[in-house]
């Protein structure tokens, strides 16, 4: 690490003077946007340490309170990690699929949509990625999926099966496509998908056991690289959910019913 020229503290090598002074309302938001732009342009990359708070105050021409507010927003967004101690500071991070997906899922949950809308979108998305899953699934993917299926079947026997188990299975199937964009999208869908599954379970309690056994069949088809069989199983699996949700209340109503 190099030494920041303005205050003698460690900074990002060659990157301590990337920032421009700001003098507008809601200054912290402008600072956040500057950092985001630098990350998008790869001028700041994961692992880089931002200059010290004092150095940032000087470069931006703002108070320490404003800099700290901007850093809190960046940390909440998953763009920086604040570390304490002698080697602490604000470090650029790579936002995880889970973090990004959670934020998008919250927006989707607040939107005006029904559980049927979510299931219809799932049919387009999950059937669309299935050829990639069948082609790219590794032995580790298959083992993980089998473990989830076994967990679900055991839970059925003990009467503890939940729709969260079904949602987790579908998320793991999508990750077997080995495409980070697909994985991020499915994480986005996790919350709405879980709520739509819960509504379907209320409408038809026997769907859980039937779906769990179809999960077993789907893993077999993926392992055998049988795309037609996998597509037929997934289509039947999702269509049944869609049929049960045809006239069911929107996602927002579920939260008030629980």
């Amino acid at each position: 690490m190099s030494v920041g020229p303005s205050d003698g503290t460690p900074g990002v090598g060659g990157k301590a003077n990337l920032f421009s002074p700001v003098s507008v309302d809601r200054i912290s938001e402008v600072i956040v946007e500057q950092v985001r732009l630098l990350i998008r342009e790869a001028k700041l990359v994961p692992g880089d340490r931002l200059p010290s708070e004092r150095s940032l105050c000087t470069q931006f021409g703002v108070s320490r309170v404003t800099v700290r507010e901007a850093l809190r927003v960046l940390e909440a967004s998953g763009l920086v990690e604040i570390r304490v101690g002698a080697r602490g500071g604000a470090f650029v991070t790579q936002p995880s699929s889970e973090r990004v997906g959670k934020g998008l899922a919250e927006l989707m949950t607040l939107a005006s949509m029904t559980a049927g809308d979510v299931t219809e979108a799932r049919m387009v998305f999950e059937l669309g990625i299935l050829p990639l899953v069948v082609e790219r699934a590794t032995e580790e993917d298959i083992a993980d999926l089998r473990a989830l299926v076994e967990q679900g079947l055991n839970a059925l026997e003990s009467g503890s099966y939940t729709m969260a188990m079904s949602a987790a299975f579908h998320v793991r199937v999508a990750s077997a496509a080995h495409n980070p964009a697909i994985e991020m999208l499915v994480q986005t869908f996790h919350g709405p998908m879980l709520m739509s599954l819960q509504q379907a379970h209320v409408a038809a309690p026997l769907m859980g056991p039937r779906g769990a056994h179809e999960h077993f069949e789907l893993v077999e088809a993926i392992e055998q690289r049988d795309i037609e069989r996998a597509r037929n199983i997934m289509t039947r699996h999702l269509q049944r959910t869609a049929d049960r949700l045809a006239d069911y209340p929107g996602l927002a109503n579920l939260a008030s019913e629980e």
Side-chain angles (χ1 to χ4, degrees):
M1 294 295 180
S2 66
V3 177
S6 61
D7 61 0
T9 59
V12 181
K15 300 179 180 179
N17 296 313
L18 289 171
F19 309 101
S20 305
V22 293
S23 57
V24 297
D25 293 336
R26 309 195 73 163
I27 299 175
S28 63
E29 293 183 5
V30 179
I31 295 173
V32 169
E33 285 306 311
Q34 280 201 36
V35 175
R36 284 176 174 163
L37 178 61
L38 290 170
I39 292 173
R40 284 196 296 268
E41 294 177 345
K43 294 178 180 178
L44 288 173
V45 298
D48 281 348
R49 180 186 186 277
L50 299 184
S52 68
E53 285 186 4
R54 187 170 69 177
S55 178
L56 289 173
C57 289
T58 300
Q59 292 184 57
F60 287 122
V62 300
S63 69
R64 182 163 291 189
V65 171
T66 300
V67 167
R68 287 179 177 174
E69 181 181 350
L71 291 175
R72 281 195 296 269
V73 172
L74 290 166
E75 183 179 31
S77 301
L79 296 177
V80 303
E81 176 187 1
I82 307 299
R83 303 175 191 171
V84 298
R87 297 184 179 180
F91 292 82
V92 177
T93 60
Q94 180 72 45
S96 67
S97 297
E98 291 80 3
R99 181 184 288 270
V100 174
K102 181 179 179 181
L104 292 174
E106 289 175 354
L107 292 175
M108 292 178 65
T109 303
L110 293 172
S112 177
M113 70 176 71
T114 66
D117 293 332
V118 173
T119 302
E120 185 175 67
R122 285 183 60 201
M123 292 186 71
V124 174
F125 179 74
E126 295 192 57
L127 287 172
I129 68 172
L130 204 52
L132 296 179
V133 173
V134 171
E135 176 186 350
R136 299 175 181 176
T138 64
E139 291 183 4
E140 181 181 356
D141 293 325
I142 299 298
D144 286 350
L145 290 170
R146 286 199 177 282
L148 289 172
V149 167
E150 183 177 359
Q151 180 186 23
L153 294 176
N154 290 338
L156 282 175
E157 292 182 4
S158 65
S160 59
Y161 187 80
T162 67
M163 291 300 99
M165 293 179 179
S166 179
F169 174 83
H170 284 271
V171 169
R172 187 62 184 87
V173 168
S175 70
H178 295 281
N179 180 309
I182 289 174
E183 187 170 358
M184 187 170 294
L185 286 171
V186 80
Q187 290 292 344
T188 302
F189 243 67
H190 181 268
M193 175 169 58
L194 178 56
M195 283 186 273
S196 67
L197 287 170
Q198 288 170 333
Q199 287 190 355
H201 184 63
V202 171
L206 292 179
M207 284 185 62
R210 193 176 303 174
H213 284 93
E214 285 173 340
H215 289 172
F216 176 83
E217 296 176 13
L218 180 63
V219 175
E220 282 195 331
I222 293 172
E223 185 175 29
Q224 294 166 5
R225 311 296 179 186
D226 189 338
I227 181 57
E228 290 304 319
R229 184 183 176 209
R231 184 182 288 113
N232 289 337
I233 294 168
M234 183 69 86
T235 300
R236 182 174 72 246
H237 186 68
L238 294 176
Q239 187 61 55
R240 189 173 60 255
T241 301
D243 292 342
R244 298 297 185 184
L245 292 170
D247 298 310
Y248 210 70
L251 289 177
N253 292 335
L254 180 64
S256 63
E257 292 169 3
E258 290 182 330

